[in-house]
Amino acid sequence: MASLIVEIQSRHGAQYHRIDTPSLRLGRALDNDIILADPSVSPYHCIVHRNDNGSYTLKSLADENGIRIGGRRIEDPVTVDHLPLVFDAGRTRIRILDPAHIVAPTRMISCHGGSVCMFGHWGWALLLFALLTLISAFDNYLSTPLTLTWESFWRDQAIIMMVALGLVVSLLIINRITSHRWDLPSSLSFVSLLLTTALVLDLMIPYADYFFTSPLPGFIVGLAWSLILLPWAMAWFLVRLHHGNTAASIVFVVVLLLPAAYYQLKEIVSHYDLLNTFSKRSFYSDTLSPWDRRLQSTLSIDEFSAMSMPTVSPDTADR
Amino acid sequence: MTSSPEDPPLFHSRGRYPGAVIRNRHPALLALRLTALLILLCAAAAPVLALDSQAIFERNEQAVYQIHVVNRDTGKKSSIGSGFIFDRPQHLATNYHVVSQFIEKPDRYELRFVASDGTEGPLRLVAVDAVHDLALVEADAPFGDPLQVSEPPPKGAALYAMGNPLDLGLTIAAGTNGGVLSQTDDSRILFSGSLNAGMSGGPTFDERGTVVGINVSTARNDISFIVPTRYLQSLSVANVVPAEDFRRVITQQIREYQIRYLQGMIDGAWPSTDLRRMRVPGAISPTVRCWDASPKPKDEHLYRRFSISCKNENDIYLSDTLEVGKILYEYLWIESDHLEPLRFYRLYQALNNSQFSSKADKDDVERFRCDTQFVDLSGQTFKTTVCARGYKNYPGLSDLLFSAAMVGHDRQGFIFNLDLSGTDFSAASRLIVRMLEGLQWLP
């Protein structure tokens, strides 16, 4: 008597039963061959029978939610020649497999001494968090032209710390949903690295703006950050560190970052007059640097009036 | 000055110049005193001809009309103003801003008059002077005899403004002449009466009952403005054009005025004022007023910040969203003894964020185009930005934003911002250059 495998899929992963009898009954009642915990399943839901000619017959016993194959409800018994036989009993998906069914290749755990591993270590997590604290404190110090008191300093510092904490908790929740683990070090490392990068970029960009005398570097980096870098980093985090499904991770990240991406795209459209949108703001390089390092040379007032003014004249603009 | 109880009762009455009483008790000057008294008595007798507000109202009630801008689709009025018979029997004088909605969208709106007895009819626009906010409209049939006009009476004399405030009915408001305002380029008389929406375009009378001005605007309670009649007399009726072409005429008027106005500044001598280590141009025109705009210093500030803000008072109404001819400039100085350069520049850069303030939207103006350069001014390097945008419906007018921030000092910063609205680009460019030449570093 050839055996068959019953796969019961659920959010927590599949359960497998090896069955050696020619007939098996599934349902919520405790005297079934396989007992299903799903409340949408009837006490006696269906019977799978192995016929003598090697085919299989599926017969519904349930009036309530019944059996669906490919989304279509079936009333009469269905006979198939080949396995797998896939059907839904209520909300539970069940696959009847042949024991010879080939399983998917083993997924390698990529964190075996590679650079990704450091995210999972407490040492790295604390180091990155310390770096974030240091850089945000420096940024806080630079942007406060007042006599610093511990109270006022920590009030501002607390904001970024709370943001970091909020993100860590969000990642922990994602982590819990995807892998049933609370992976604190990797979440902390990732958030620290992300925020530190953002702060460092924010510190550096004005110098690039000043050097090129153009608001474009900041604009492009900002755009690349929110449209490419951030989504990529988040998807990478979910796939590599949380072993999430690649497609699901990408969809998740896209949905999560869509509002920000929409806002960014609106900015480009407005800055570059795509779609003829209008901006009341004038878009120019307004950065000032204590190190006067730049590509542009200094003009005399005559050169300025002869060169700079005519380039913006609306009277000569193509209308 | 208030009159004391010992003043002769004569001067308590309708004497026009109580301040002119000569009080000299020296007996030798008695004859002179008597003569003076006689002259004053004559002067006091003259106002016997003066009318009170009731008489002025009754005499001119038939000559003041309501002007409606009517939406052709709904047949209902969209805005209201007043007007009076001027120059020819079928002409009404009013403000440009009363009819501007019609000029902006002649296919959507039409002009109509409503008399005090309720009769109404269509109007044609025949002349505008956008700079002084005046317009002439014409009806098919004559209204009546044109009102007499004359120059305004002396400062302090009584004035009476007629019009239809808030569509509440024709009224008259009394006040005094506050004088011709140099800060408005002599285009406005200050009036101490109450002008309200709907009275625009109505006549202002002196005590003889002749028209001396046209009601135009109000700043707040009892601070109102009147256009002197001399600008009305120079309105040329000859250039009758279709309504669509009025925009071209207006552009030309404003542009010519701006070129003359800005060139007057460029050619003039400017007072200078010192802002710490920078000598800067002060009020560059009689129309410009400068104010201190420094923020209140606080103990915890590790820096000191000072600023001077100047602006002209004679901007021109072009449409609901466009106020043109505005000149606004500010100087900002910031210094610190304690902040490290990195920290100082964080603050300094945050202050360098000039943006053009205006109600203009995408139907009115193009987008700003900007150019940023480093320029040597009085031995110091400045990061300068000039941005400009053209007007869509008034090609030839543009808004300009200029900003210059001094660089190269660790703990000292100076920013000069200048905004010009609805101006001629090349005249404005010359003004910017002249102002930059006026900056002088004080070692």
Side-chain angles (χ1 to χ4, degrees):
Chain A
M1 177 75 222
S3 58
L4 50 83
I5 305 294
V6 180
E7 180 192 83
I8 302 181
Q9 297 185 357
S10 77
R11 197 170 62 80
H12 310 288
Q15 289 172 32
Y16 293 87
H17 304 268
R18 186 186 184 98
I19 302 293
D20 294 321
T21 55
S23 181
L24 94 124
R25 193 174 63 204
L26 298 99
R28 206 152 40 79
L30 301 182
D31 57 347
N32 286 298
D33 297 312
I34 290 174
I35 303 157
L36 300 169
D38 184 348
S40 66
V41 167
S42 304
Y44 300 101
H45 204 102
C46 61
I47 286 180
V48 179
H49 186 77
R50 187 177 190 275
N51 303 317
D52 294 339
N53 61 1
S55 64
Y56 293 87
T57 300
L58 169 65
K59 187 183 169 197
S60 176
L61 304 173
D63 296 331
E64 293 95 340
N65 293 314
I67 294 287
R68 286 171 190 274
I69 293 179
R72 280 223 319 260
R73 180 149 180 175
I74 56 153
E75 303 293 346
D76 302 322
V78 173
T79 300
V80 293
D81 295 334
H82 306 287
L83 292 179
L85 166 62
V86 184
F87 61 94
D88 294 322
R91 284 220 190 91
T92 301
R93 170 152 296 183
I94 294 165
R95 293 203 299 167
I96 309 295
L97 304 171
D98 195 284
H101 186 86
I102 294 164
V103 296
T106 309
R107 180 113 60 90
M108 295 294 290
I109 296 172
S110 45
C111 191
H112 276 299
S115 59
V116 179
C117 272
M118 71 186 215
F119 281 101
H121 291 162
W122 270 108
W124 280 104
L126 292 176
L127 192 72
L128 286 169
F129 186 70
L131 193 67
L132 170 69
T133 311
L134 208 67
I135 288 189
S136 61
F138 180 60
D139 188 57
N140 186 1
Y141 171 74
L142 285 187
S143 49
T144 317
L146 307 172
T147 317
L148 278 179
T149 59
W150 280 110
E151 188 199 339
S152 69
F153 183 77
W154 279 110
R155 195 178 49 220
D156 293 340
Q157 188 66 25
I159 295 171
I160 185 118
M161 293 295 129
M162 291 307 280
V163 168
L165 195 71
L167 287 173
V168 168
V169 170
S170 317
L171 283 185
L172 278 179
I173 291 169
I174 295 170
N175 191 334
R176 171 72 192 162
I177 290 169
T178 55
S179 69
H180 309 283
R181 283 182 290 133
W182 297 102
D183 200 352
L184 184 58
S186 75
S187 301
L188 188 63
S189 308
F190 185 69
V191 167
S192 302
L193 188 71
L194 216 60
L195 289 179
T196 306
T197 314
L199 278 172
V200 168
L201 282 175
D202 212 38
L203 276 169
M204 303 304 295
I205 282 168
Y207 295 99
D209 178 316
Y210 191 87
F211 184 74
F212 294 106
T213 318
S214 162
L216 285 179
F219 184 64
I220 292 167
V221 171
L223 217 60
W225 170 257
S226 50
L227 289 183
I228 302 165
L229 237 67
L230 188 63
W232 175 81
M234 286 188 68
W236 176 88
F237 175 78
L238 292 176
V239 173
R240 296 294 291 277
L241 291 168
H242 285 166
H243 316 295
N245 176 292
T246 310
S249 300
I250 289 172
V251 168
F252 178 81
V253 166
V254 165
V255 167
L256 193 73
L257 297 178
L258 208 58
Y262 170 74
Y263 176 77
Q264 285 283 337
L265 283 169
K266 228 176 91 181
E267 286 280 290
I268 324 179
V269 162
S270 136
H271 282 319
Y272 293 100
D273 203 10
L274 303 170
L275 310 176
N276 274 325
T277 52
F278 171 79
S279 169
K280 284 190 179 212
R281 294 179 61 80
S282 38
F283 185 50
Y284 65 93
S285 164
D286 57 4
T287 50
L288 297 172
S289 161
W291 304 294
D292 191 10
R293 299 276 171 276
R294 55 188 147 91
L295 288 179
Q296 278 193 9
S297 56
T298 306
L299 306 179
S300 72
I301 193 158
D302 293 335
E303 288 168 327
F304 164 74
S305 101
M307 282 169 53
S308 185
M309 298 295 294
T311 57
V312 298
S313 169
D315 299 347
T316 57
D318 298 332
R319 290 182 55 84
Chain B
M1 187 188 287
T2 55
S3 41
S4 63
E6 60 196 51
D7 281 339
L10 178 70
F11 302 110
H12 276 308
S13 70
R14 204 171 276 135
R16 288 175 69 183
Y17 311 115
V21 180
I22 300 162
R23 277 196 243 139
N24 193 332
R25 303 193 186 278
H26 201 286
L29 292 172
L30 187 64
L32 190 63
R33 194 180 160 196
L34 282 171
T35 317
L37 200 64
L38 200 67
I39 294 169
L40 280 163
L41 276 169
C42 292
V48 170
L49 292 174
L51 304 167
D52 60 12
S53 55
Q54 186 186 350
I56 290 172
F57 183 82
E58 282 167 3
R59 189 191 276 189
N60 297 295
E61 196 181 354
Q62 304 305 319
V64 182
Y65 290 79
Q66 247 196 326
I67 294 177
H68 289 183
V69 178
V70 175
N71 187 325
R72 290 180 199 269
D73 295 326
T74 62
K76 291 284 174 273
K77 55 186 182 282
S78 167
S79 66
I80 57 166
S82 302
F84 61 96
I85 313 170
F86 169 75
D87 194 36
R88 295 185 199 179
Q90 71 274 32
H91 278 180
L92 294 180
T94 186
N95 287 137
Y96 159 76
H97 78 256
V98 170
V99 299
S100 67
Q101 215 179 357
F102 167 73
I103 295 173
E104 284 267 299
K105 298 256 170 2
D107 46 340
R108 189 186 298 168
Y109 298 104
E110 60 184 349
L111 297 173
R112 295 185 74 80
F113 70 86
V114 180
S116 53
D117 63 4
T119 54
E120 55 175 285
L123 290 168
R124 279 183 305 280
L125 185 65
V126 290
V128 287
D129 176 355
V131 172
H132 298 104
D133 201 350
L134 296 171
L136 270 190
V137 288
E138 184 184 54
D140 296 330
F143 292 108
D145 291 335
L147 294 181
Q148 296 283 309
V149 299
S150 72
E151 282 296 301
K155 198 168 178 171
L159 293 177
Y160 302 94
M162 274 180 82
N164 199 327
L166 312 172
D167 202 19
L168 297 170
L170 194 61
T171 61
I172 188 158
T176 53
N177 177 2
V180 175
L181 301 172
S182 65
Q183 58 266 50
T184 65
D185 215 8
D186 295 346
S187 69
R188 294 288 185 270
I189 297 168
L190 181 62
F191 172 59
S192 71
S194 285
L195 291 186
N196 286 294
M199 289 179 83
S200 289
T204 314
F205 298 96
D206 64 4
E207 284 182 310
R208 292 173 300 158
T210 55
V211 178
V212 296
I214 299 96
N215 311 335
V216 64
S217 60
T218 179
R220 53 180 73 100
N221 288 346
D222 297 341
I223 304 275
S224 301
F225 302 100
I226 285 162
V227 187
T229 43
R230 68 167 170 281
Y231 296 112
L232 198 55
Q233 283 161 320
S234 54
L235 255 180
S236 65
V237 191
N239 58 352
V240 180
V241 287
E244 287 77 4
D245 285 359
F246 271 110
R247 286 215 290 261
R248 194 173 42 76
V249 173
I250 291 164
T251 307
Q252 193 60 25
Q253 286 172 350
I254 292 173
R255 205 167 168 188
E256 277 168 15
Y257 173 75
Q258 277 288 305
I259 291 171
R260 204 169 59 240
Y261 176 56
L262 296 184
Q263 195 58 46
M265 288 182 199
I266 295 163
D267 297 337
W270 296 342
S272 61
T273 183
D274 291 350
L275 184 61
R276 308 297 284 181
R277 295 186 66 190
M278 192 63 82
R279 181 159 291 164
V280 298
I284 58 173
S285 150
T287 59
V288 166
R289 294 288 181 274
C290 293
W291 295 81
D292 168 65
S294 310
K296 201 174 156 195
K298 288 188 180 155
D299 288 344
E300 68 263 32
H301 287 177
L302 294 173
Y303 59 89
R304 286 181 300 281
R305 208 177 120 188
F306 310 95
S307 58
I308 295 173
S309 169
C310 305
K311 77 190 239 295
N312 68 339
E313 304 290 343
N314 57 327
D315 28 335
I316 300 164
Y317 177 94
L318 187 55
S319 73
D320 275 352
T321 47
L322 296 173
E323 297 258 329
V324 302
K326 206 161 57 180
I327 299 179
L328 197 145
Y329 55 95
E330 62 177 353
Y331 307 107
L332 190 151
W333 177 274
I334 181 159
E335 61 186 18
S336 173
D337 302 327
H338 307 289
L339 294 174
E340 298 80 2
L342 265 180
R343 233 171 135 197
F344 178 79
Y345 268 75
R346 208 29 114 85
L347 171 68
Y348 185 29
Q349 177 176 298
L351 296 172
N352 186 37
N353 61 352
S354 180
Q355 287 291 341
F356 198 86
S357 113
S358 126
K359 282 189 280 183
D361 63 22
K362 64 173 187 288
D363 296 333
D364 298 315
V365 288
E366 311 281 345
R367 285 160 37 84
F368 274 112
R369 293 204 303 171
C370 299
D371 185 53
T372 302
Q373 296 290 340
F374 288 85
V375 184
D376 184 309
L377 302 170
S378 187
Q380 305 301 312
T381 305
F382 280 76
K383 186 174 182 183
T384 67
T385 295
V386 57
C387 300
R389 62 181 182 191
Y391 283 30
K392 284 181 173 168
N393 299 323
Y394 304 90
L397 297 182
S398 38
D399 287 340
L400 255 90
L401 175 147
F402 178 80
S403 176
M406 183 175 74
V407 290
H409 295 265
D410 282 351
R411 290 185 175 91
Q412 285 172 332
F414 170 80
I415 298 174
F416 164 49
N417 292 323
L418 169 67
D419 291 357
L420 293 126
S421 75
T423 190
D424 174 75
F425 181 82
S426 60
S429 310
R430 289 196 298 277
L431 179 70
I432 290 172
V433 170
R434 167 83 207 272
M435 287 193 81
L436 293 182
E437 285 165 350
L439 298 179
Q440 195 190 336
W441 178 250
L442 305 169

